[in-house]
Amino acid sequence: MNRDPSCIFCRIVAGEIPSRKAYEDDELLAFHDIAPWAPVHVLVIPKEHVASFYDVTEGHTPMLGRIMALAPRLMRENGVTGGFRTLVNTGPDGRQEVPHLHVHVMGGPRPWAKG
Ligand code: 5GP
Ligand code: ZN
């Protein structure tokens, strides 16, 4: 599996940096954001290093579909009933801070810290 040893999310996948996991399988990892915008704020990532949404190709379609299908399940499992937001920041103008593809999934009662 493609991995970047300097990438913080690859290091989370490898267990070198601790995280509060919400879901894991062979292909995907979901963990709680360290600085949540909302009462429930989960990041869903491919375990493989894909730098951003720009780097997604046709071959990533099943992985992306699985991430989107996982989002509502994660929200339900974490008690979110009133709706949620799903966000992918891409590149510098998209305010992407961590260069490993991730989908933010945020929910829970308002007010939120951001968003
Ligand atoms: P971006 O701006 O790249 O879309 O979002 C990156 C997100 O990763 C931010 O919301 C930030 O709080 C979160 N984050 C950065 N480093 C860590 C970390 O070490 N652990 C966890 N759980 N979240 C992180
Ligand atoms: Zn990575």
Side-chain angles (χ1 to χ4, degrees):
M1 192 180 294
N2 186 25
R3 171 172 197 264
D4 175 348
S6 68
C7 168
I8 190 166
F9 286 177
C10 284
R11 297 191 67 204
I12 284 177
V13 168
E16 294 164 10
I17 294 172
S19 68
R20 200 179 132 219
K21 288 179 188 173
Y23 176 84
E24 182 169 20
D25 64 28
D26 287 349
E27 186 177 35
L28 305 180
L29 178 66
F31 55 96
H32 293 269
D33 198 291
I34 206 166
W37 293 15
V40 178
H41 184 166
V42 175
L43 304 173
V44 189
I45 68 170
K47 285 188 166 178
E48 175 193 19
H49 183 80
V50 178
S52 85
F53 216 173
Y54 268 136
D55 301 283
V56 161
T57 60
E58 189 82 30
H60 294 115
T61 303
M63 175 270 284
L64 291 170
R66 293 194 63 235
I67 289 177
M68 297 316 267
L70 184 60
R73 173 180 157 185
L74 288 172
M75 291 296 100
R76 282 202 193 89
E77 285 178 358
N78 284 277
V80 170
T81 54
F84 59 91
R85 297 188 76 178
T86 311
L87 176 70
V88 184
N89 296 324
T90 305
D93 289 346
R95 297 243 165 99
Q96 182 182 5
E97 287 173 8
V98 177
H100 180 129
L101 176 66
H102 52 280
V103 177
H104 295 258
V105 192
M106 296 167 277
R110 298 276 179 174
W112 293 1
K114 277 203 273 182

